[in-house]
Amino acid sequence: RVSKGAACECDAGYTGPACAGQCPGGAMNPCSGHGLCSQDAGTCTCVQHWTGAACDRCLSEWSGPECQDACPLGARGAPCSNAGDCLNGQCYCWPGSCGPDCSSWGDTCTVMACPTGRWGTNCAEECPGGAENACHGHGTCTETIFGTGACQCYP
């Protein structure tokens, strides 16, 4: 720290009147590398697409390792219509909803389902690993006419 009159100017990652506190995310990685730490308040101002006290999460309408993938928005502007999870810019709809933005419901989704291991318009596409061994047996495939054939791996 550097003294400027009665006040200290803190080293990067430290905060407070005596520079004794650490910024959210820690002194070595203030604001998780996705924001600026206020040395006075000890709070982060996150850069675009990031949120959280330590700027460690994507805003709800963004996804991906660097929060760079826009999530599909439903008619009311909610990511995945608040009926699914967004991963790498793609909606994974919860049971009972379907569509590229999870905005379709009920019987519509049943009609739009494809046979196991198939997806896309007229269910003409095979999932990775083939229709008989979708996702090479390590996950489930988005098997709808709106699907992308992407695999959701088992935990």
Side-chain angles (χ1 to χ4, degrees):
R1 61 186 166 227
V2 177
S3 179
K4 286 193 173 181
C8 291
E9 185 176 308
C10 301
D11 291 334
Y14 290 91
T15 183
C19 302
Q22 292 187 25
C23 294
M28 298 303 293
N29 194 23
C31 303
S32 305
H34 304 293
L36 299 174
C37 181
S38 164
Q39 291 185 352
D40 295 331
T43 57
C44 293
T45 301
C46 303
V47 296
Q48 188 177 29
H49 306 169
W50 290 90
T51 191
C55 302
D56 56 351
R57 297 185 322 270
C58 296
L59 288 169
S60 63
E61 57 273 359
W62 293 92
S63 68
E66 292 300 319
C67 298
Q68 76 281 6
D69 299 318
C71 297
L73 302 178
R76 296 184 183 183
C80 301
S81 304
N82 285 332
D85 297 311
C86 183
L87 179 63
N88 297 324
Q90 179 180 334
C91 290
Y92 291 89
C93 302
W94 301 330
S97 65
C98 61
D101 61 3
C102 302
S103 62
S104 298
W105 290 90
D107 292 340
T108 303
C109 297
T110 305
V111 171
M112 295 178 186
C114 291
T116 301
R118 301 192 88 55
W119 66 276
T121 305
N122 299 321
C123 303
E125 304 292 329
E126 285 191 358
C127 295
E132 300 300 316
N133 190 26
C135 301
H136 303 281
H138 298 288
T140 58
C141 180
T142 54
E143 298 161 340
T144 67
I145 63 171
F146 292 122
T148 62
C151 292
Q152 285 184 291
C153 298
Y154 298 132

